[in-house]
Structure formats: structure tokens, C-alpha cells
Amino acid sequence: CSSDLEELYAIAKPPGIESDLRATGKLLEILAAWSAPERTTGGEDHAVRRYRALIEQHAGDPRSSLSELAKQVGMTPNHLAGLFRREYGVSPVEYRTLLRLVRAEQLLLASTLSAAEIAREVGVPDPAYFTRVFQRANGMGPREFARKRRVGR
């Protein structure tokens, strides 16, 4: 708990939009963790939380598969995916995609990187696939998203 708050403080300390966005994301993560009911049992609960942390840590690395991360936790990918869905309401794939999309939105608003560069930065090596997933999630492509959000400020 206190380490989460210390991390939030360190993230928010430097002034600027990027640190504000990162701090907001961390705050939402802390609030979600605090409000989430504990549903799994002892060791499984720890395994699911560790798996989630590994997914967050490696979300931007396209070479890091969810199966490899599950092996690091010491469970089969299918069993861990079921526990993860029960605990968080989404599959590990959906969660990693959400993390990548949130990071992509932050980069679109805080940088001048192209959509292809942002795709690579968030862990999606295929820019066309990234654009399709982004459009499906946001109802518009990355460039249109950035343009509309920047105008709305």
C-alpha cells in the first residue's frame, strides 16, 4: 500500500502532461486494486496478482508471451487465464490489450510519434493491426483520436 503511494508520488512529482497521465494511470490502478474483492484462494490469489504484475511489466514487449509469463508464475496458461478472468473480469489478452491502448492514447496526446511508432512503442509490431484494434476500441483511428482530443483541450 505505502509503496504504491510512494510510487504514485514519484511519478507525479515532475511537472508536465506525461507525468500527469502516468500518475492518473497509477492512481486508477491503485484504486482498482483496493476496491477489488478477493475471490481466489491463498496461493492462487498471489499467483493471479503476480501474473497481472508481469503482464503490466511486459505489456510493451512484443516478444514476451502470456504463456511465458504464466510459466514464471508456475501455472499453466489456461488455468491461470481462468483465474485471471474470474478475478478481474477480463482475459489476460484483453487486459494486455487494454494496457497497450491506454499507453497508446497517452503517447498520442503527449508526443508527435506516428501511429506506426506508437504501435511499436506499446508492443504491437504490426501498425495495421494496431490501427484496427485502436479503431475498434475508440471508434476512430489513432490520428483522428489525437486530433479530436487536442482540439478539445
Side-chain angles (χ1 to χ4, degrees):
C1 287
S2 65
S3 66
D4 283 338
L5 293 177
E6 291 167 1
E7 184 179 350
L8 175 61
Y9 178 76
I11 290 170
K13 195 173 185 178
I17 189 165
E18 188 172 344
S19 64
D20 290 348
L21 290 170
R22 288 178 48 219
T24 301
K26 183 63 180 177
L27 180 59
L28 290 173
E29 178 187 323
I30 292 169
L31 291 173
W34 286 351
S35 65
E38 298 290 330
R39 283 177 271 208
T40 56
T41 60
E44 289 181 341
D45 180 55
H46 176 73
V48 171
R49 281 186 278 127
R50 183 162 177 244
Y51 187 49
R52 179 180 174 202
L54 286 169
I55 292 170
E56 291 168 357
Q57 182 180 353
H58 297 281
D61 182 2
R63 298 167 307 208
S64 185
S65 76
L66 294 173
S67 294
E68 291 170 2
L69 299 179
K71 287 177 187 173
Q72 289 182 36
V73 173
M75 291 186 157
T76 66
N78 287 340
H79 181 66
L80 197 49
L83 295 172
F84 192 96
R85 180 178 288 284
R86 189 172 63 215
E87 186 70 24
Y88 298 112
V90 294
S91 73
V93 172
E94 292 167 324
Y95 184 67
R96 181 179 62 188
T97 299
L98 178 63
L99 292 172
R100 289 174 170 175
L101 288 170
V102 167
R103 179 68 181 135
E105 290 172 6
Q106 293 170 339
L107 289 170
L108 283 165
L109 296 176
S111 75
T112 58
L113 296 173
S114 71
E117 291 169 320
I118 289 174
R120 281 189 300 276
E121 181 71 25
V122 301
V124 182
D126 180 354
Y129 176 73
F130 166 74
T131 299
R132 284 193 308 274
V133 170
F134 190 94
Q135 186 156 3
R136 192 176 315 126
N138 291 287
M140 64 187 88
R143 286 291 135 218
E144 184 181 0
F145 174 87
R147 185 178 45 77
K148 286 186 175 185
R149 290 287 176 98
R150 285 184 185 137
V151 170
R153 286 187 188 178

